[in-house]
Amino acid sequence: MEDEAFDQIIYVINQLISWLASGAMIFGGVVPYIPQYRDIKRTQNAEGFSTYVCLVLLVANILRILFWFGRHFETPLLWQSIVMIATMLLMLSLCTDVRVANEINTKRRAFTDFDLNYFWLWSRFVDYLQCVLAFTAVAAYITYLFLDSALFVETLGFLAVFTEAMLGTPQLYRNYQNKSTEGMSIKMVCMWTSGDTFKTGYFIVNQAPVQFWICGLLQVFVDFAILFQVYYYSRYPQKPASHTVHAGSAKAL
């Protein structure tokens, strides 16, 4: 009788841990963007955040959802992609509004101009939305045509997680260009690192497809490279700290 009660307690604890881990997987990925979102809203300056991070995550998570139709993986990972897509659209909306408000140039650029020089530099959030919907439609149609091909499905899965593994590279490159990490939320990067480490461990423990945990390790490596930039550029400044008051800053004070 005691053994049965003990087994029941262990079962409940295991279920609770499983639910907590699943919840962390679904919502943990968006937590790093909360301090960055608040910083942009407070300062009305989006210069330190690369919107190409949003592009990378949108592409990666759309491909991951399509991969699910060819090879089912854990449901929390599917919900994580849906939640992340919604979060990135919110980040894009804010960054677009802030950038347009601070722009001196009044010329508006649109997705339907099909000008590659201004790709992902459009003036309205609706243009980004049109681009995302167009990509989703094309990718979904191609996936529908080749869904029976195991090679295509596995390649799609690899592209999804490899694209996500490259998440930090736009920020890494932007920091290198600026020779500074000013304007970037260090909290966001620390949360990236801890979240990606947890996520990679989750992949390994739950025996997710091999593409997931290999690219997870790559993602952790990129996170540490950005943290090294934070250390390096703070210890060896490459340019004088900016004292410019950005438009709208006074309102935040």
Side-chain angles (χ1 to χ4, degrees), residues 6 19 21 41 44 59 69 76 88 102 146-147 203 232 245:
F6 180 75
W19 291 337
K41 198 157 183 74
Q44 288 297 296
V59 170
F69 287 99
M88 288 303 102
N102 293 337
F146 296 99
L147 198 58
F203 291 157
Y232 183 80
V245 177

Side-chain angles (χ1 to χ4, degrees), residues 178-253:
N178 294 340
K179 304 298 182 190
S180 168
T181 57
E182 183 182 355
M184 182 193 74
S185 171
I186 298 173
K187 290 179 184 176
M188 177 187 72
V189 181
C190 289
M191 290 179 183
W192 271 356
T193 308
S194 58
D196 291 339
T197 303
F198 170 80
K199 182 172 64 178
T200 304
Y202 182 92
F203 291 157
I204 296 172
V205 170
N206 288 278
Q207 298 180 330
V210 66
Q211 303 102 313
F212 280 65
W213 60 266
I214 289 178
C215 291
L217 291 172
L218 177 59
Q219 201 167 357
V220 171
F221 174 78
V222 174
D223 293 341
F224 276 106
I226 295 176
L227 287 175
F228 175 76
Q229 285 183 322
V230 173
Y231 164 78
Y232 183 80
Y233 290 133
S234 61
R235 191 173 179 85
Y236 307 103
Q238 305 293 301
K239 66 175 186 179
S242 173
H243 297 290
T244 304
V245 177
H246 298 279
S249 298
K251 283 195 260 184
L253 297 177

Side-chain angles (χ1 to χ4, degrees), residues 10-60:
I10 294 298
Y11 173 77
V12 170
I13 292 173
N14 286 338
Q15 284 294 104
L16 183 60
I17 292 172
S18 177
W19 291 337
L20 288 173
S22 296
M25 279 302 301
I26 294 170
F27 298 105
V30 306
V31 172
Y33 299 97
I34 295 174
Q36 184 70 71
Y37 186 94
R38 293 178 64 185
D39 285 349
I40 293 172
K41 198 157 183 74
R42 177 177 57 83
T43 62
Q44 288 297 296
N45 172 29
E47 188 178 332
F49 177 74
S50 173
T51 54
Y52 287 103
V53 168
C54 300
L55 173 62
V56 169
L57 276 175
L58 285 167
V59 170

